[in-house]
Amino acid sequence: MSKASAPGKVIIIGEHAVVYGEPAIIAAIGKRTYSEAEKSIKCRYMDSRWNVDLVFTIEEALSTMKKADEIWKICSEKKDFTELLQFIKRDGFINYRKAVFGIMIKKMKINECFTIKIKSDVPVGSGLGSSSSLAVAVTKSVSELFKKNISNEAINDIAYEMEKLIHGNPSGGDNAASCFGGLLWFEKGKEIKSLEKKVPYELENFVLVYTGPPKKTTGELVQAVRNLDENYRNKRIKEIGKMTSKILNALKKKDFKKMKEIINKTQHNLSELGVSTPVIDKIAKAVIEINGAAKLCGAGGGGIMLCWYEDKSKLIKTIKSLGYEPIETELGAEGVRTEKY
Ligand code: MEV
């Protein structure tokens, strides 16, 4: 048996824009997904959160993965992943779970069955990287079980294949944060860099707020942004990209006034891309009124918001006065790791 865990993530800045090659700054958070793996007669996927207990063969796992891959290629040509998302979501995500196994079996050249048991304290559909932390944690636990001794880079690549199932054409930023941990500068296909030296202090006075379950998945929200008029979309995407570089400078200098300005401008751009909600707008307005900063996190459409104010207790009071429960968590947590069992 083997056990591993990986953190969820929060995008400090750069969501959506990162899909189009702009940089993002992403922090691993103090909430993790745990995966236990053991050898078994059949393949078995268990997830206590959904009462899922799915048993299938290696052949089923591989054929589902192959089918998903075929649909992915067609969708990629059309630049529309709706069909893939429908396939993956069918019957309570059965195809996703089998294909996740298929990817591990193929990529790690495994020829025996195994069981994975998943537990997680990363809330689902909140923008906190529940799927990326799962992808990284299961890959690590299975690689340990079969003594594959693979690098974190290889784990990250496998996790990315799993993320493609559920998000179509993700940037890869979420799985990178879940895998490598800490605070990362991420550019799709170019750079994954730790910001440990540039921002050598703990990020403080940030508070998360859960605004409710998004009506759409990350894949669907990314698709909705893609469907916008190209010129309209690209103007906002470029703007968010510039904000990411600027916020890094502000963080380096501890210029929190500038940082707040940038966060609020970014929320404005995300709202113009159509991924904000009336609840997010209401919370952002209240935080801005006390001279703080707030933005949605991840794909948006609900889920988590990131808020900042130098007087954290005042920020918490403001959020509570609107009827929402602030969430405090570590930003810059440890990446994937083996756990004792
Ligand atoms: C999702 O957490 C972040 C998005 O930018 C999508 C991605 O990066 O793949 C919306």
Side-chain angles (χ1 to χ4, degrees), residues 233-277:
R233 181 191 67 214
N234 288 351
K235 187 162 179 268
R236 274 113 197 133
I237 293 292
K238 286 260 168 299
E239 198 56 37
I240 295 175
K242 274 192 217 147
M243 294 295 153
T244 303
S245 303
K246 282 189 180 166
I247 213 170
L248 180 58
N249 267 332
L251 284 171
K252 273 198 238 164
K253 292 187 203 146
K254 291 196 168 188
D255 183 349
F256 296 118
K257 188 163 173 274
K258 188 85 201 153
M259 181 192 80
K260 284 195 283 187
E261 208 182 288
I262 295 168
I263 292 177
N264 289 332
K265 272 194 192 156
T266 304
Q267 169 58 23
H268 183 72
N269 277 299
L270 288 166
S271 179
E272 287 188 336
L273 288 174
V275 292
S276 192
T277 65

Side-chain angles (χ1 to χ4, degrees), residues 9 11 14-19 127-129 167 169-174 186 218 221-222 297-300:
K9 63 87 209 199
I11 301 188
E15 48 273 272
H16 286 288
V18 71
V19 174
L128 289 181
H167 300 316
N169 201 4
S171 62
D174 292 8
F186 178 86
T218 296
L221 286 154
V222 168
C297 280

Side-chain angles (χ1 to χ4, degrees), residues 26 33 41 50 85 118 124 129 138 166 189 191 199 201 204 217 237 249 256-257 294 300 310 324 339:
I26 315 177
T33 296
I41 296 175
W50 314 105
L85 301 174
I118 293 154
V124 175
V138 297
I166 203 153
E191 217 176 3
V199 187
Y201 57 90
E204 285 176 342
T217 63
I237 293 292
N249 267 332
F256 296 118
K257 188 163 173 274
E310 46 270 56
Y324 292 89
E339 297 280 345

